[in-house]
Amino acid sequence: MFRRSFFIAIAATLLSPVLASAADLPDLKGREIVVVTENAYPPLQFVDPKTGKPIGWEYDAMNEIAKRLNAKVEYQNASWDAMIPAVSAGQYDIGMTGISIKEERKEKVDFSDPYMRSEMFMLVRADETRFTDPKSFAAFEKGLIGAQAGTTPFYTAVYDNLDGNEQNPRVKLMETFGATVQALRTGDVDLVLTDGVAGKGYVDSSNGTLKLIGGPLGGDDFGFIFKKGSDLVVPVNAAIAALKADGTFAALDKKWFLDYKLGE
């Protein structure tokens, strides 16, 4: 998944500002950590249209975690549907792509402590007037939702916006979140459900063609994922606590959710 109107509420959950030195954290002694992401979830992680380089909140956070733990990070890409199985199998050390902490996912991977809380919102074209909330969308029988299978937006679409049937033909499955937004832009679907983070990023870069409507549809915590039993969970959790405590995460929130404008 804080918003100063649409942001997910993070600041209220931050620990009291206490500076934490690297000496207080585990030392991984230069260990290389392979981190996989999708680069499709601005402003958490995406490819900068100006430079072609991957950037975002999660990149900054992971780079700082590695710095504090005396580790080196190698980033790789994978699709969402391949990410959890690949991390579970040990192909990568850590997965990051705004992954909601879910009990069923805990059967396959270990999660870090939460680093952010996400709420689902309805992303539509700016001229949309046929529906304004889940109830009116459900009544709009021709309305289509774009979603990735197995994601929080998919389950929210099925169970909070429609009839609970995961085979409902009104849900059009796509391989990436970016593809669902592109389908929305072109009119192939009428609605995309997104956490406020990604939604705000796409709205800000849409030149007035997209908007968020309605209120938040529940909330989830985001966490990094690891292979079951990974020895990285404890040190990463220690670093997350330190970055919350010393205000680093709050500074990243300001950088990516207030100051940064995608596409400018």
Side-chain angles (χ1 to χ4, degrees), residues 1-216:
M1 36 173 89
F2 157 25
R3 297 221 113 59
R4 302 63 164 174
S5 72
F6 290 117
F7 287 87
I8 339 177
I10 301 174
T13 65
L14 294 177
L15 303 176
S16 300
V18 178
L19 292 179
S21 69
D24 299 324
L25 297 173
D27 185 351
L28 297 184
K29 302 183 184 302
R31 176 174 170 178
E32 183 173 272
I33 298 172
V34 181
V35 178
V36 64
T37 188
E38 192 182 16
N39 284 338
Y41 224 21
L44 289 187
Q45 22 68 28
F46 61 104
V47 175
D48 186 343
K50 298 188 292 290
T51 67
K53 295 181 179 180
I55 58 173
W57 192 102
E58 287 182 331
Y59 277 106
D60 284 359
M62 185 57 65
N63 288 338
E64 188 63 24
I65 287 170
K67 178 182 176 182
R68 302 282 182 102
L69 297 176
N70 187 21
K72 298 178 181 178
V73 182
E74 175 190 341
Y75 292 105
Q76 295 191 19
N77 265 126
S79 64
W80 161 252
D81 58 354
M83 189 174 299
I84 291 179
V87 172
S88 177
Q91 184 176 346
Y92 308 105
D93 296 309
I94 299 176
M96 65 174 200
T97 184
I99 304 172
S100 297
I101 300 174
K102 299 286 190 182
E103 289 303 315
E104 60 271 21
R105 290 175 182 164
K106 289 182 179 179
E107 298 176 2
K108 300 177 181 178
V109 293
D110 284 340
F111 277 92
S112 71
D113 291 336
Y115 58 84
M116 186 178 292
R117 183 153 182 82
S118 164
E119 293 177 326
M120 290 287 106
F121 287 86
M122 301 174 72
L123 180 68
V124 298
R125 291 182 293 278
D127 60 356
E128 182 59 72
T129 59
R130 297 167 296 179
F131 56 89
T132 57
D133 56 21
K135 183 177 180 180
S136 57
F137 178 80
F140 175 50
E141 296 182 356
K142 294 182 179 180
L144 302 176
I145 304 180
Q148 292 171 277
T151 62
T152 297
F154 170 79
Y155 292 116
T156 303
V158 170
Y159 293 100
D160 293 355
N161 286 73
L162 296 173
D163 57 3
N165 175 13
E166 294 185 13
Q167 307 303 318
N168 192 311
R170 292 181 62 182
V171 180
K172 300 302 179 183
L173 298 180
M174 300 177 191
E175 292 187 0
T176 68
F177 179 75
T180 67
V181 177
Q182 182 58 27
L184 176 65
R185 293 179 188 274
T186 59
D188 294 324
V189 299
D190 304 291
L191 170 65
V192 168
L193 296 179
T194 171
D195 69 86
V197 178
K200 180 64 164 53
Y202 276 102
V203 169
D204 284 351
S205 64
S206 73
N207 294 319
T209 62
L210 298 175
K211 65 182 179 181
L212 294 168
I213 61 173

